[in-house]
Amino acid sequence: MENCIFCKIINGKLPSTKRFEDENIIAINDINPVNKTHILFIPKEHIDAFENINNDSIFPSIRLAAQRLIGEEELIGKGYKILVGGGRSASSKSSPFSPHRSYRTERKIVRGSNL
């Protein structure tokens, strides 16, 4: 999609720091992280909402990427969150489906929620 920020990242029209890539997804550092480690897992196929996913290969790719990055970031045994958000009502700045993984080093208040 022409106006999709994630599609622009995937197509190389916007810069990003890639952490993982395969035929289905890329994982990049979030440019506005809310935690020390904040990584976005972006399907290469434009998906506007979770309920519209029809590619069975996306979730195995996300699992593989998350497992590798959890190890690389030395988060095993320390705790982390994997979140799935989509749409503006999910506090997403853009509408496509986008899983996130973040690691919190200390207790923070983010967007009015005590995490």
Side-chain angles (χ1 to χ4, degrees), residues 60-82:
S61 290
I62 292 171
R63 180 188 52 79
L64 176 63
Q67 288 172 333
R68 284 189 187 174
L69 292 167
I70 288 166
E72 285 178 18
E73 292 290 325
E74 300 178 352
L75 298 177
I76 296 170
K78 295 181 181 177
Y80 52 87
K81 295 192 284 190
I82 297 175

Short mmCIF file of all heavy atoms in Angstrom, two decimals, residues 60-82:
data_model
loop_
_atom_site.label_atom_id
_atom_site.label_comp_id
_atom_site.label_asym_id
_atom_site.label_seq_id
_atom_site.Cartn_x
_atom_site.Cartn_y
_atom_site.Cartn_z
N PRO A 60 4.83 -18.73 12.27
CA PRO A 60 6.10 -19.45 12.49
C PRO A 60 7.32 -18.54 12.30
O PRO A 60 8.30 -18.67 13.04
CB PRO A 60 6.07 -20.58 11.45
CG PRO A 60 4.61 -20.81 11.20
CD PRO A 60 3.99 -19.44 11.31
N SER A 61 7.26 -17.62 11.36
CA SER A 61 8.37 -16.68 11.15
C SER A 61 8.52 -15.75 12.35
O SER A 61 9.65 -15.47 12.79
CB SER A 61 8.15 -15.87 9.88
OG SER A 61 8.31 -16.67 8.74
N ILE A 62 7.41 -15.26 12.88
CA ILE A 62 7.46 -14.39 14.06
C ILE A 62 8.02 -15.16 15.25
O ILE A 62 8.86 -14.65 15.99
CB ILE A 62 6.08 -13.79 14.37
CG1 ILE A 62 5.68 -12.80 13.27
CG2 ILE A 62 6.08 -13.12 15.74
CD1 ILE A 62 4.25 -12.32 13.36
N ARG A 63 7.59 -16.41 15.42
CA ARG A 63 8.09 -17.23 16.53
C ARG A 63 9.61 -17.41 16.42
O ARG A 63 10.34 -17.21 17.39
CB ARG A 63 7.40 -18.59 16.56
CG ARG A 63 7.90 -19.49 17.70
CD ARG A 63 7.35 -20.91 17.62
NE ARG A 63 7.53 -21.54 16.32
CZ ARG A 63 8.67 -22.09 15.89
NH1 ARG A 63 9.75 -22.06 16.66
NH2 ARG A 63 8.75 -22.66 14.71
N LEU A 64 10.09 -17.77 15.23
CA LEU A 64 11.52 -17.96 15.02
C LEU A 64 12.30 -16.68 15.29
O LEU A 64 13.31 -16.68 16.00
CB LEU A 64 11.79 -18.44 13.60
CG LEU A 64 13.26 -18.61 13.20
CD1 LEU A 64 13.93 -19.68 14.05
CD2 LEU A 64 13.36 -18.95 11.72
N ALA A 65 11.82 -15.56 14.75
CA ALA A 65 12.49 -14.28 14.96
C ALA A 65 12.50 -13.91 16.45
O ALA A 65 13.54 -13.49 16.98
CB ALA A 65 11.79 -13.18 14.15
N ALA A 66 11.38 -14.07 17.11
CA ALA A 66 11.29 -13.72 18.53
C ALA A 66 12.24 -14.59 19.36
O ALA A 66 12.96 -14.08 20.22
CB ALA A 66 9.86 -13.87 19.03
N GLN A 67 12.28 -15.88 19.08
CA GLN A 67 13.18 -16.76 19.83
C GLN A 67 14.64 -16.36 19.63
O GLN A 67 15.41 -16.30 20.59
CB GLN A 67 12.97 -18.22 19.41
CG GLN A 67 11.66 -18.77 19.93
CD GLN A 67 11.35 -20.16 19.37
OE1 GLN A 67 11.79 -20.52 18.29
NE2 GLN A 67 10.57 -20.91 20.12
N ARG A 68 15.02 -16.06 18.41
CA ARG A 68 16.41 -15.64 18.15
C ARG A 68 16.74 -14.33 18.85
O ARG A 68 17.79 -14.17 19.47
CB ARG A 68 16.64 -15.47 16.66
CG ARG A 68 16.78 -16.78 15.94
CD ARG A 68 17.22 -16.56 14.52
NE ARG A 68 17.19 -17.82 13.80
CZ ARG A 68 17.41 -17.94 12.51
NH1 ARG A 68 17.67 -16.88 11.78
NH2 ARG A 68 17.37 -19.12 11.94
N LEU A 69 15.81 -13.36 18.77
CA LEU A 69 16.08 -12.05 19.35
C LEU A 69 16.05 -12.08 20.87
O LEU A 69 16.79 -11.34 21.52
CB LEU A 69 15.11 -11.02 18.78
CG LEU A 69 15.34 -10.74 17.29
CD1 LEU A 69 14.17 -9.96 16.71
CD2 LEU A 69 16.65 -10.02 17.07
N ILE A 70 15.21 -12.92 21.45
CA ILE A 70 15.20 -13.08 22.90
C ILE A 70 16.57 -13.56 23.37
O ILE A 70 17.12 -13.08 24.35
CB ILE A 70 14.07 -14.04 23.34
CG1 ILE A 70 12.72 -13.34 23.17
CG2 ILE A 70 14.27 -14.51 24.78
CD1 ILE A 70 11.53 -14.29 23.23
N GLY A 71 17.14 -14.51 22.61
CA GLY A 71 18.49 -14.98 22.94
C GLY A 71 19.54 -13.91 22.73
O GLY A 71 20.41 -13.70 23.59
N GLU A 72 19.49 -13.23 21.59
CA GLU A 72 20.48 -12.18 21.29
C GLU A 72 20.46 -11.06 22.32
O GLU A 72 21.50 -10.50 22.66
CB GLU A 72 20.22 -11.59 19.90
CG GLU A 72 20.64 -12.47 18.76
CD GLU A 72 20.32 -11.86 17.40
OE1 GLU A 72 20.08 -10.63 17.32
OE2 GLU A 72 20.31 -12.63 16.42
N GLU A 73 19.27 -10.72 22.79
CA GLU A 73 19.14 -9.63 23.77
C GLU A 73 19.37 -10.12 25.20
O GLU A 73 19.25 -9.34 26.13
CB GLU A 73 17.74 -9.00 23.67
CG GLU A 73 17.52 -8.24 22.39
CD GLU A 73 18.32 -6.96 22.29
OE1 GLU A 73 18.52 -6.30 23.33
OE2 GLU A 73 18.76 -6.63 21.18
N GLU A 74 19.68 -11.41 25.35
CA GLU A 74 19.92 -12.02 26.66
C GLU A 74 18.75 -11.82 27.61
O GLU A 74 18.92 -11.44 28.77
CB GLU A 74 21.24 -11.51 27.25
CG GLU A 74 22.43 -11.82 26.37
CD GLU A 74 23.75 -11.29 26.90
OE1 GLU A 74 23.76 -10.52 27.89
OE2 GLU A 74 24.78 -11.64 26.30
N LEU A 75 17.56 -12.09 27.11
CA LEU A 75 16.35 -11.90 27.89
C LEU A 75 15.82 -13.18 28.53
O LEU A 75 14.86 -13.14 29.29
CB LEU A 75 15.25 -11.28 27.01
CG LEU A 75 15.57 -9.91 26.43
CD1 LEU A 75 14.45 -9.45 25.52
CD2 LEU A 75 15.83 -8.92 27.54
N ILE A 76 16.42 -14.30 28.21
CA ILE A 76 15.95 -15.57 28.77
C ILE A 76 16.07 -15.50 30.28
O ILE A 76 17.11 -15.17 30.83
CB ILE A 76 16.75 -16.76 28.19
CG1 ILE A 76 16.50 -16.85 26.69
CG2 ILE A 76 16.38 -18.06 28.89
CD1 ILE A 76 17.40 -17.81 25.94
N GLY A 77 14.96 -15.75 30.96
CA GLY A 77 14.92 -15.70 32.41
C GLY A 77 14.71 -14.31 32.99
O GLY A 77 14.54 -14.16 34.19
N LYS A 78 14.71 -13.29 32.15
CA LYS A 78 14.53 -11.91 32.63
C LYS A 78 13.13 -11.39 32.43
O LYS A 78 12.71 -10.45 33.07
CB LYS A 78 15.52 -10.97 31.93
CG LYS A 78 16.96 -11.26 32.25
CD LYS A 78 17.87 -10.29 31.55
CE LYS A 78 19.32 -10.59 31.86
NZ LYS A 78 20.22 -9.70 31.14
N GLY A 79 12.40 -11.96 31.48
CA GLY A 79 11.04 -11.51 31.20
C GLY A 79 10.96 -10.59 30.01
O GLY A 79 11.88 -9.82 29.74
N TYR A 80 9.88 -10.71 29.29
CA TYR A 80 9.61 -9.90 28.10
C TYR A 80 8.14 -10.02 27.78
O TYR A 80 7.43 -10.86 28.34
CB TYR A 80 10.47 -10.36 26.90
CG TYR A 80 10.35 -11.84 26.64
CD1 TYR A 80 9.34 -12.34 25.84
CD2 TYR A 80 11.24 -12.73 27.23
CE1 TYR A 80 9.21 -13.70 25.64
CE2 TYR A 80 11.11 -14.08 27.03
CZ TYR A 80 10.09 -14.57 26.23
OH TYR A 80 9.97 -15.91 26.03
N LYS A 81 7.67 -9.16 26.90
CA LYS A 81 6.28 -9.19 26.43
C LYS A 81 6.28 -9.27 24.93
O LYS A 81 7.09 -8.63 24.27
CB LYS A 81 5.51 -7.92 26.80
CG LYS A 81 5.32 -7.69 28.24
CD LYS A 81 4.30 -6.59 28.46
CE LYS A 81 4.87 -5.22 28.19
NZ LYS A 81 3.95 -4.16 28.62
N ILE A 82 5.34 -10.03 24.40
CA ILE A 82 5.07 -10.02 22.97
C ILE A 82 3.63 -9.57 22.83
O ILE A 82 2.72 -10.21 23.36
CB ILE A 82 5.30 -11.39 22.32
CG1 ILE A 82 6.78 -11.79 22.46
CG2 ILE A 82 4.88 -11.36 20.85
CD1 ILE A 82 7.12 -13.16 21.96
#
